[in-house]
Amino acid sequence: MTHYPAPVSTAPPEDAAVARAVRALRITLLVCAGACVALGLMGAALVLLTADSGALWPGLTLLAAGQVAGLLGAAAAGLGLRRVLTGTEPQPVTRRVRATLGRLGTALAVALAAGAAVWIVVRPTAWVAILACALVSAQLVVVLRFLRR
């Protein structure tokens, strides 16, 4: 008598949605926290390179705006991850985190454009550094858009 193994079910496990949500939220948390650290390192480098320049405060404020958005994105992802891990239905949680990331990206883009415009008026001699720092922080806007998917 030959024994055959039991048939393998091809149906997805019941917690597949939870696993996908946990993975997506964990990646979002790590990317936002990493972006925040990277912008902080850029700010430290800016301080070291432009200690007596007129570009110091404009650059720091624009990098700090990106850092705050990164912190808020990491906090939203972390809270969403905690809710999913404690048993909350994953779909509404991930939908809310995606909406938060979208609002953060839009708010950051507006803040960077307005901040760069104001700083260029206040310190026109540092316009290149101001635009460079705004563009560095604007990379987080793109990252937040990708994370929403």
Side-chain angles (χ1 to χ4, degrees):
M1 176 181 261
T2 305
H3 294 288
Y4 293 103
V8 177
S9 173
T10 57
E14 293 177 8
D15 60 345
V18 172
R20 282 193 310 271
V22 166
R23 182 174 184 265
L25 291 169
R26 187 178 55 229
I27 289 170
T28 301
L29 172 65
L30 292 174
V31 168
C32 287
C36 184
V37 169
L39 287 171
L41 291 174
M42 295 289 269
L46 182 71
V47 168
L48 292 174
L49 294 173
T50 62
D52 56 351
S53 171
L56 176 64
W57 289 110
L60 284 181
T61 57
L62 294 172
L63 291 174
Q67 219 174 3
V68 168
L71 281 174
L72 292 174
L79 291 173
L81 181 61
R82 188 175 130 231
R83 289 187 69 200
V84 169
L85 289 174
T86 57
T88 305
E89 181 70 29
Q91 188 177 14
V93 173
T94 55
R95 191 178 308 129
R96 187 175 302 127
V97 170
R98 267 187 263 136
T100 301
L101 293 177
R103 286 191 299 272
L104 277 174
T106 303
L108 178 60
V110 169
L112 290 174
V118 167
W119 276 115
I120 287 174
V121 169
V122 172
R123 300 244 170 96
T125 57
W127 69 273
V128 173
I130 292 168
L131 289 179
C133 289
L135 288 174
V136 167
S137 285
Q139 292 176 15
L140 185 59
V141 174
V142 176
V143 168
L144 291 173
R145 297 290 178 198
F146 280 128
L147 288 173
R148 286 187 65 210
R149 295 181 180 256

